[in-house]
Amino acid sequence: MTKTFYGTSLSSPLMLGTAQYPSPAILADAFARSKASVATVSLRREASTNKAGQDFWQLVQSLNVKILPNTAGCHSVKEAVTTAHMAREVFNTSWIKLEVIGEEDTLQPDIFGLVDAARILIEDGFQVFPYTTEDLVVADKLVSLGCEVLMPWGAPIGSGMGLNNVFGLRALRAHFPEIPLVIDAGLGLPSQAAQAMELGMDAILLNTAVAKAGNPAQMAEAFAKAIDAGQLAASAVPMEPRDLACPSTPLFGQAELS
Amino acid sequence: MAKPDISRVTLVGAGVAGLTIATELVSRGIIPQIIDRAPEPGPQSCSWWAGGMLAPYCESESAEEPVVRLGSKAADWWQKHTQLVHRKGTLVLAMPRDRAELRRFAQLTSAFQPVNEAQINALEPDLENRFTQGLYYADEAHLAPRHAIQTLRQQLAEKGVHFMVDDADIAALATEGTVIDCRGTKARPDVHGLRGVKGEMLILKCPELQFQRPIRLLHPRIPLYIVPRGDGVFMLGATQIESEASSHPTVRSVMALLNAAYAISPCFAEADILEIGVDSRPAFSNNLPQIHRCGNVIRANGLYRHGFLLAPALAEMVANYLIHNEEPEWLTINPES
């Protein structure tokens, strides 16, 4: 059963970021070939207030996908909350991908600030998509505050390392079977996205892996195919791994050719 | 469409696009007049803030094919017309923890040789062994953009080109002859699909440092280039932000640029900040230039961050179109507006 994201069904489990592409034309191409259903937009970098960034905003609108504004680059609760409010006004949506960065080198989430900011924003009527770790306790706090989606990292943002803690992600999946889980950050290759879908994740959020590829549009298509494959595999009920070999043809009745 | 009337040609905009086109026209025997809002080159124009790197191979990391093909002729053009070109190549470096960036850059570009610590030090002794791996693009060049602009202006004036200071009325001028609109970002209301890409840059004075050539520092978050201007002056650039608000540089951008400069050499900590610049580069959606023809008006625009690199090719196309009716690859007739 496909889960909804705050009541919205997505036509594809791929969410694609809009930063770092060589050109807007290539960005548009990448979206077309990825069949992404959601575009994340950073308000901080591509300012959309007043006159600034109008062209970029028009381009994003023309992609014809759902917009998920994010608070990328915010380092404090106050900054994130202010950015979220600006984003709601500019993009006319109550969706917000909440990022509160806690550490400069790994860009890992400040989970304390994240929980505080999520509480404030949910009270303000936002539908929060929190960028978090695979930590079950934090996830539980976020869900009890009213987050209906969780976005655990695969690996540090832009690192391309894939799923660093498969055990943790599997536990998260098992603990929150009803909550849509989106792997956000750290993927570099389509096979890693396929792996995430095989683990039963509901969606994938990418940016650098596509935007910084030599051919972004082609990489976007590769991810789309991998995500399809992973999703198909997950719903096909994969076999269980085992320690011993299990011959795929029966040994009994083999001809004895001695 | 009819061949443009070349008996009376007016160029609007005296930035790098306008001046290179005028130079190409003059060399084919057409003496245009040039109208600009400003009496002389200055910070109101993108060209004033250019890096002046003639680096087609490095740019191919993110640019489309024509940038290499057409940009590789730029150094010859500028040398022929200004004698200001330094052919010293480009050095591309990364901090040890960002080696992956160097591998990516090498995969996406061509015409370089990998260099080790000793080779880097031979090229730029003032880096003092801080870098152990890099890429050297020997065929690239650089020039001082403000000097080059001044030189072109002076030569054009000597050949009889008349410079006028005015807010040009393009529609009125088009009734009397051919108008070539080279206003860059200021032409946005009239040019379909043109956007502004904000750039911030710094000019520093650091006399104890001597670099021979542009140095690019690759970094996943803050890529930076440093172009030596001579006499201990360096240009540091440049941010790229999808926004046409060009009035002020942000603290974040300036800090990022200065941090990256400090990583290249701690000597920059003691440098004087001579200028902080900000402007909005004109660009189309594929970041390549375009030539639009609407009746008597020809618009040449969208040089993006490749002003000095691609202006000679753009100028040649416009001149050949005007005089020989040769259709350039970047031409669109009657684009929607």
Side-chain angles (χ1 to χ4, degrees):
Chain A
M1 203 6 232
T2 317
K3 300 187 186 80
T4 65
F5 297 76
Y6 290 99
T8 301
S9 312
L10 299 179
S11 58
S12 130
L14 178 56
M15 304 180 175
L16 202 53
T18 53
Q20 299 183 309
Y21 291 82
S23 72
I26 291 174
L27 186 161
D29 245 18
F31 266 82
R33 285 177 71 176
S34 74
K35 300 193 177 66
S37 57
V38 172
T40 60
V41 184
S42 156
L43 188 73
R44 293 195 65 92
R45 288 304 280 176
E46 323 299 357
S48 285
T49 46
N50 308 326
K51 198 171 144 270
Q54 275 301 326
D55 296 311
F56 188 73
W57 174 220
Q58 267 177 17
L59 169 84
V60 172
Q61 277 181 312
S62 73
L63 298 172
N64 223 356
V65 292
K66 187 104 178 129
I67 304 292
L68 175 58
N70 69 31
T71 63
C74 290
H75 285 74
S76 73
V77 174
K78 191 177 165 213
E79 213 183 348
V81 169
T82 310
T83 306
H85 275 98
M86 282 163 62
R88 180 160 68 179
E89 212 165 291
V90 170
F91 299 111
N92 196 25
T93 173
S94 53
W95 279 19
I96 188 78
K97 188 194 136 186
L98 181 60
E99 247 183 72
V100 185
I101 298 301
E103 212 282 323
E104 209 30 65
D105 271 357
T106 57
L107 298 178
Q108 69 190 84
D110 166 4
I111 50 166
F112 305 100
L114 177 70
V115 169
D116 286 347
R119 181 182 296 117
I120 295 168
L121 291 174
I122 289 168
E123 277 171 16
D124 284 342
F126 282 91
Q127 295 175 318
V128 175
F129 293 63
Y131 167 58
T132 183
T133 67
E134 62 278 44
D135 190 295
L136 291 177
V137 184
V138 179
D140 194 47
K141 272 272 190 314
L142 291 167
V143 169
S144 64
L145 287 173
C147 288
E148 294 180 21
V149 176
L150 293 172
M151 302 184 99
W153 65 350
I157 297 172
S159 68
M161 290 195 290
L163 305 180
N164 261 358
N165 182 355
V166 172
F167 161 79
L169 291 170
R170 206 176 266 139
L172 194 67
R173 178 72 290 172
H175 274 72
F176 300 97
E178 306 299 326
I179 299 281
L181 297 181
V182 185
I183 292 294
D184 177 7
L187 300 191
L189 287 170
S191 55
Q192 297 159 350
Q195 187 193 11
M197 296 308 287
E198 287 160 5
L199 288 176
M201 298 297 151
D202 298 287
I204 304 288
L205 197 157
L206 296 170
N207 192 341
T208 313
V210 170
K212 288 288 189 186
N215 184 337
Q218 193 172 318
M219 188 58 85
E221 187 182 331
F223 267 102
K225 288 183 164 160
I227 288 168
D228 258 2
Q231 196 176 28
L232 213 55
S235 65
V237 189
M239 66 168 281
E240 291 298 323
R242 61 174 74 229
D243 287 337
L244 287 179
C246 173
S248 49
T249 45
L251 292 168
F252 179 77
Q254 268 186 353
E256 286 180 35
L257 307 166
S258 56
Chain B
M1 187 173 279
K3 197 168 171 296
D5 168 18
I6 50 171
S7 60
R8 189 186 162 102
V9 178
T10 306
L11 278 148
V12 184
V16 69
L19 296 175
T20 49
I21 291 172
T23 302
E24 284 294 309
L25 290 176
V26 168
S27 73
R28 287 163 177 75
I30 296 179
I31 307 295
Q33 61 168 345
I34 301 182
I35 306 182
D36 196 283
R37 288 206 294 205
E40 54 190 40
Q44 72 285 345
S45 150
C46 262
S47 310
W48 189 254
W49 297 111
M53 289 181 295
L54 305 172
Y57 305 104
C58 284
E59 286 301 310
S60 70
E61 180 252 332
S62 60
E64 312 245 352
E65 175 275 332
V67 173
V68 177
R69 175 167 45 89
L70 298 167
S72 54
K73 300 173 191 158
D76 288 343
W77 193 95
W78 286 106
Q79 184 58 19
K80 179 180 165 195
H81 292 281
T82 69
Q83 292 84 49
L84 289 171
V85 174
H86 302 275
R87 295 179 192 267
K88 302 270 187 181
T90 304
L91 189 56
V92 176
L93 303 170
M95 303 301 283
R97 60 185 288 183
D98 298 325
R99 293 249 170 88
E101 297 296 317
L102 218 47
R103 288 195 295 273
R104 175 180 181 275
F105 203 85
Q107 275 191 329
L108 296 175
T109 59
S110 59
F112 60 85
Q113 66 177 94
V115 281
N116 60 25
E117 187 173 345
Q119 292 165 311
I120 292 170
N121 278 311
L123 288 165
E124 297 292 357
D126 279 4
L127 287 171
E128 296 180 283
N129 297 68
R130 264 184 303 278
F131 294 88
T132 54
Q133 274 189 4
L135 307 170
Y136 178 51
Y137 295 75
D139 298 333
E140 296 189 332
H142 68 284
L143 50 59
R146 295 177 188 178
H147 197 175
I149 289 285
Q150 298 279 18
T151 305
L152 288 189
R153 260 187 97 106
Q154 202 179 329
Q155 285 169 5
L156 289 167
E158 281 164 12
K159 292 193 171 137
V161 173
H162 182 47
F163 284 86
M164 279 164 44
V165 181
D166 194 11
D167 256 330
D169 181 344
I170 290 178
L173 288 163
T175 61
E176 298 160 9
T178 295
V179 182
I180 307 176
D181 178 358
C182 307
R183 291 175 295 157
T185 319
K186 276 129 204 139
R188 279 194 75 238
D190 302 319
V191 180
H192 177 71
L194 192 69
R195 74 188 201 285
V197 181
K198 183 181 177 183
E200 292 141 305
M201 59 297 279
L202 292 150
I203 296 180
L204 306 183
K205 179 144 182 140
C206 189
E208 59 264 51
L209 273 181
Q210 296 260 327
F211 291 144
Q212 301 297 309
R213 54 187 58 76
I215 297 174
R216 292 181 184 228
L217 181 67
L218 303 183
H219 186 278
R221 297 182 213 167
I222 323 155
L224 166 101
Y225 59 75
I226 292 183
V227 190
R229 291 275 190 260
D231 294 330
V233 175
F234 298 89
M235 151 115 191
L236 246 70
T239 55
Q240 292 215 90
I241 302 169
E242 290 288 345
S243 158
E244 65 263 38
S246 66
S247 44
H248 299 289
T250 65
V251 170
R252 177 192 298 262
S253 295
V254 173
M255 282 201 312
L257 291 173
L258 289 174
N259 268 331
Y262 184 72
I264 287 185
S265 171
C267 287
F268 279 118
E270 297 301 321
D272 291 335
I273 299 177
L274 301 184
E275 294 175 54
I276 301 180
V278 60
D279 213 326
S280 182
R281 314 170 183 93
F284 291 102
S285 73
N286 60 359
N287 293 340
L288 289 175
Q290 289 183 20
I291 299 165
H292 293 176
R293 166 95 192 264
C294 310
N296 282 345
V297 181
I298 292 168
R299 303 188 197 276
N301 213 321
L303 283 166
Y304 181 50
R305 55 181 272 162
H306 302 131
F308 283 77
L309 184 63
L310 293 185
L314 183 71
E316 199 181 4
M317 285 183 201
V318 171
N320 285 342
Y321 177 57
L322 224 60
I323 296 161
H324 308 301
N325 219 14
E326 264 176 36
E327 281 214 4
E329 64 181 276
W330 287 327
L331 179 74
T332 313
I333 305 280
N334 291 328
E336 48 179 320
S337 53

